[in-house]
Amino acid sequence: MNPARHTTAAAVVLSVAGSLLAGATSPASAATSCASPVYKRQFFANTAFSGTARKTDCDNAVDQTWTGAPASGLPKDTFGVRWSVTRDFGSGGPFALAASGLDGIRVYVDGVRKVGLWKNTAKTVSRTANVTIPKGKHTLRIDYVNWTGSAKVKFTYTPRTSATVDKVKPLAPTGTSVTYDTATGKAGLTWSKNREMDLAGYRVYRRAKGNTDWHRVSGAGLLTGTSFTESLVASGHAHYYEVRAVDRAGLESPGSTDQLVTTADRLAPTITDLTVSSDSALDGVSLSWRSGEGSLTYRLLRSDAPGGPFAVAARTASDSATDATAPYGETSYYKVAATDPAGNTGYSAVVSHARPLAVPYFWKTENRPEDGGGIDLAWDVSPYAPTGFRVHRDEHRFDNATGTFDVVDSRVVPCAPTLTDTAYGTRHTYSCTDTTVVPSPSDGFSVYWVTTVDALGRESAPSQTVSHVYGDATAPPLVTGFTATATAYGTVLDWDDTPAADLAEYNVYRLSTVDDGTEYTHVGTVKAGTSRLVDSANLQDGEHHTYFVDAVDTSGNSTYTSADTMVSTTVTEYDLRPTVETPPDWLVTVDARAADGTTAVDLTWHLSSSYHRDDITGYRVYRWNPATAAYEPLTADPVTGTSYTDTTAAAGTTHFYWVTALHADGTESAPGDAWAALAP
């Protein structure tokens, strides 16, 4: 598929947004910066808003009428006034932008025009645009020009608050804080005023810590202020408060940041359901529990006997912890001590856990081409695990009689593991090299795994296994006889088949003058036994190319090391481009490709997404004729669909096409173009 070019049409969608700036227009001042939501207003002595503004002041609202010059030094006609303001729209949502005036008025949101009434008129014109404004800060700009006669302009932006239109929830209130008076037992909550322009009020919710259910405590109505006070009578409990904003459409915001209030606490915490949740050979023994209370600190205690003595294994503020130092191959006993902010401490029941010997995490088998060859092996273990290891290897061969791979040899590899990396505090990396391995036959492979061995000679369960095919480290020989021939249907690349018995494939690359000869393009891959490739995906436009071919064997060895060692050849393409240029503006985007299994070209096309298709009655398909140096129609009658197959295209060359759209008024659009190459 070779589209000559394509057009991306941006679809402008007007949804809903806005907010009315309250207050009457204040007297103009000499200020050049105005506090939002007040507008900055600039007067220009022209209608192009060019040059330096003759006057700049602040304006509370866009609602003016002038019968003469709007400001000193300006003409009474052919002047321009620009209002701009950047403000926080909160969560945004649907707004109505209402503009009216004599003569021209344009309204922009973040530089995108939403209203355009731009002509010299003797009567007031008006328009309301429903747009959706995203959350956060955005800039409104209103450009007004008066060409002749009286000048009049008005603009408002107001939120659309109907529940059927407004689907945008308010932003959560911010700046929440809470105080608690231990003498009166009252909690006082305050928050910052919400920035929503359609705010109706607030609701306050409370939940007990450790519980996910929120309960409204501010009553059935809405709070219009930014504070709330409640008496808490429960002792020894913790509560969270949050505030939610409600807009005039009845939509409720997410909750504000939770604010914690803890009443006077004289009760020791209760810890239940202490269990061992997991045992990671690398990270340790993980335990979890339940407390039913918040703001607790915990100590995970461990002993080698049910009755103690217990020592601290971990500290945490959550309801779970991991004992990274738990001994392997032994039974440990655990309990949890929980302390609340008042200093009360409670204990859980004791649980036991028999930990198995550490199992390594085996993650690397890699051919080692240097130092006599072999396979590099690596694995991770906990820093508290035994440092004795056994590396196991099974040799598998395919049994034709059973159709399965059978183990023909099992052994412990005589390698000496060494500590190679302690970068991660919860694990250490060990490695060694198996120099006893021999290259795998075509019907076999090796399987490795690792175990730990402790001071008592006990061996752990095996790690995960890793299969590995050990190949040679010899790259295939460089290819010979590599040629590149320019044709009318692409560049034909030929080379001599490499005699290596383990050859897997060839990869062909192109280096083009288009990018100054600095970037390779992968043209294609062909399997061993094939020594030809046609580069027909590149337009025949007279470029100069250098091609490289790389041989790869079944062990992954490649002749590709650098441009100096690769086998290369150069070629200059034919330049078959039409001498008639395609106009820069087009309505139809065209794709062309060689039809599968035939010497024909399949053409498909589509119209720009912004165009009204009701106006189109058909299409004309043209093909470039080099003999006449012209695009010639392929059919006598227009094509009614959006595809066409050119069965008359000659093989062994590149074809260029135009497709135009026919309008109902008989006119023909500018063409869209594409090309396709047909092999002989």
Side-chain angles (χ1 to χ4, degrees), residues 131-434:
V131 304
T132 295
I133 296 183
K135 69 178 181 180
K137 290 186 177 181
H138 300 281
T139 298
L140 294 174
R141 193 183 92 212
I142 301 91
D143 287 353
Y144 170 75
V145 298
N146 171 261
W147 282 288
T148 59
S150 298
K152 182 179 181 181
V153 59
K154 183 174 182 179
F155 169 74
T156 61
Y157 60 108
T158 55
R160 301 176 68 201
T161 60
S162 168
T164 60
V165 173
D166 186 2
K167 305 297 182 182
V168 180
K169 293 182 178 180
L171 295 179
T174 60
T176 52
S177 64
V178 69
T179 59
Y180 175 69
D181 189 331
T182 57
T184 63
K186 291 185 177 181
L189 188 67
T190 61
W191 58 92
S192 301
K193 184 178 180 181
N194 196 282
R195 293 188 177 92
E196 303 301 326
M197 299 175 65
D198 58 347
L199 181 70
Y202 305 93
R203 294 172 182 152
V204 177
Y205 293 81
R206 170 171 49 81
R207 68 174 173 87
K209 188 172 184 179
N211 194 317
T212 58
D213 295 329
W214 289 94
H215 302 279
R216 190 195 302 182
V217 294
S218 57
L222 295 177
L223 300 176
T224 57
T226 57
S227 64
F228 174 77
T229 300
E230 182 188 29
S231 296
L232 296 173
V233 296
S235 177
H237 289 82
H239 305 273
Y240 282 109
Y241 285 95
E242 73 174 28
V243 185
R244 303 175 191 174
V246 181
D247 66 15
R248 295 203 293 269
L251 298 172
E252 186 177 75
S253 76
S256 63
T257 303
D258 294 354
Q259 299 297 316
L260 178 66
V261 169
T262 303
T263 59
D265 186 2
R266 300 177 183 88
L267 301 174
T270 300
I271 308 301
T272 61
D273 300 330
L274 176 62
T275 58
V276 175
S277 55
S278 66
D279 186 348
S280 167
L282 285 174
D283 301 321
V285 178
S286 296
L287 299 95
S288 61
W289 54 88
R290 297 182 183 221
S291 67
E293 300 181 42
S295 298
L296 300 179
T297 58
Y298 303 94
R299 289 170 292 145
L300 178 64
L301 307 176
R302 186 187 76 224
S303 174
D304 58 4
F310 286 86
V312 177
R315 299 177 187 271
T316 181
S318 66
D319 54 2
S320 63
T322 298
D323 179 11
T325 64
Y328 293 94
E330 306 294 339
T331 297
S332 295
Y333 298 86
Y334 292 96
K335 68 179 180 179
V336 173
T339 303
D340 65 19
N344 305 303
T345 300
Y347 295 88
S348 71
V350 175
V351 299
S352 63
H353 176 67
R355 194 177 197 197
L357 292 174
V359 178
Y361 174 69
F362 184 42
W363 57 270
K364 177 183 179 181
T365 62
E366 184 177 81
N367 288 347
R368 182 184 182 88
E370 71 278 1
D371 300 334
I375 300 177
D376 287 336
L377 313 168
W379 58 91
D380 292 343
V381 295
S382 165
Y384 308 103
T387 56
F389 305 98
R390 290 190 184 130
V391 179
H392 300 261
R393 186 184 76 219
D394 281 351
E395 296 296 332
H396 291 249
R397 298 291 182 271
F398 186 76
D399 188 332
N400 290 314
T402 62
T404 61
F405 284 93
D406 298 332
V407 177
V408 297
D409 181 61
S410 295
R411 66 180 63 199
V412 175
V413 176
C415 64
T418 58
L419 179 63
T420 57
D421 190 1
T422 60
Y424 298 96
T426 59
R427 60 187 64 190
H428 288 173
T429 299
Y430 287 80
S431 63
C432 70
T433 301
D434 179 10

Side-chain angles (χ1 to χ4, degrees), residues 409-466:
D409 181 61
S410 295
R411 66 180 63 199
V412 175
V413 176
C415 64
T418 58
L419 179 63
T420 57
D421 190 1
T422 60
Y424 298 96
T426 59
R427 60 187 64 190
H428 288 173
T429 299
Y430 287 80
S431 63
C432 70
T433 301
D434 179 10
T435 59
T436 65
V437 67
V438 296
S440 302
S442 59
D443 62 347
F445 57 91
S446 301
V447 175
Y448 288 89
W449 71 92
V450 183
T451 59
T452 58
V453 181
D454 68 6
L456 299 178
R458 297 179 297 179
E459 186 173 10
S460 74
S463 68
Q464 67 269 46
T465 59
V466 177

Side-chain angles (χ1 to χ4, degrees), residues 60 86 93 106 109 124 300 334 405 407 522 562:
N60 284 340
T86 299
R106 287 175 175 168
V109 178
T124 301
L300 178 64
Y334 292 96
F405 284 93
V407 177
H522 182 255
S562 71

Side-chain angles (χ1 to χ4, degrees), residues 17 41 123 200 265 287 332 459 498 599 657 671:
R41 181 173 62 176
K123 64 178 181 178
D265 186 2
L287 299 95
S332 295
E459 186 173 10
T498 301
T599 56
Y657 295 91

